[in-house]
Amino acid sequence: MSLPFEVLADPTRRQILGLLLGGPRLVGEVAHELEMSQPRVSKHLRVLREAGLVTVRPEAQRRWYELRPEPLADLDAWLAPYRRLWTERLDALERHLETMPDAPRGTAASVDRGAVKS
């Protein structure tokens, strides 16, 4: 079984999860949205299923794929300390920028400070 980080390293698999975020989808729908062949999408879906990130629900000849939120919650929990680290660093940068005197227009120091917030 692949680890979720290994599986999510592939941008196509992240795109597929993004599509499944909107609800269950058929392989053909995913293939159409991504403009990929159905066999190629099926391979990616198999990897996602084996990693526990999606489930498949057979319905006659069709296969509905659905996102499983539990493994993503585990990943989110693992990332939480790193998210705090970046928030703290961005907050420190914002405080530093607020202490700087305003520079004349057109210089690097006059960049919109609102874009720094997370």
Side-chain angles (χ1 to χ4, degrees):
M1 180 189 240
S2 298
L3 297 174
F5 280 115
E6 293 173 21
V7 171
L8 294 175
D10 186 289
T12 301
R13 293 186 195 125
R14 291 192 307 268
Q15 285 181 302
I16 291 171
L17 288 182
L19 290 173
L20 295 177
L21 190 57
R25 301 262 186 138
L26 297 167
V27 177
E29 293 173 340
V30 174
H32 177 74
E33 285 287 326
L34 299 180
E35 298 179 352
M36 297 173 70
S37 70
Q38 196 163 331
R40 187 170 168 209
V41 169
S42 291
K43 287 180 183 180
H44 284 292
L45 285 166
R46 184 187 77 240
V47 172
L48 289 167
R49 184 177 42 81
E50 288 173 354
L53 294 167
V54 300
T55 59
V56 61
R57 178 174 37 93
E59 186 178 281
Q61 301 266 336
R62 301 156 58 162
R63 303 284 180 265
W64 290 93
Y65 285 86
E66 189 169 4
L67 186 62
R68 287 192 63 239
E70 299 86 3
L72 297 175
D74 292 342
L75 288 173
D76 184 58
W78 186 86
L79 287 169
Y82 300 96
R83 191 177 306 107
R84 280 193 304 271
L85 172 75
W86 277 107
T87 300
E88 290 168 7
R89 288 183 179 193
L90 290 172
D91 288 346
L93 175 61
E94 182 178 25
R95 286 189 301 275
H96 172 72
L97 291 174
E98 287 173 352
T99 65
M100 295 178 63
D102 286 338
R105 293 182 73 75
T107 63
S110 67
V111 172
D112 177 18
R113 293 182 186 143
V116 176
K117 292 184 180 181
S118 61

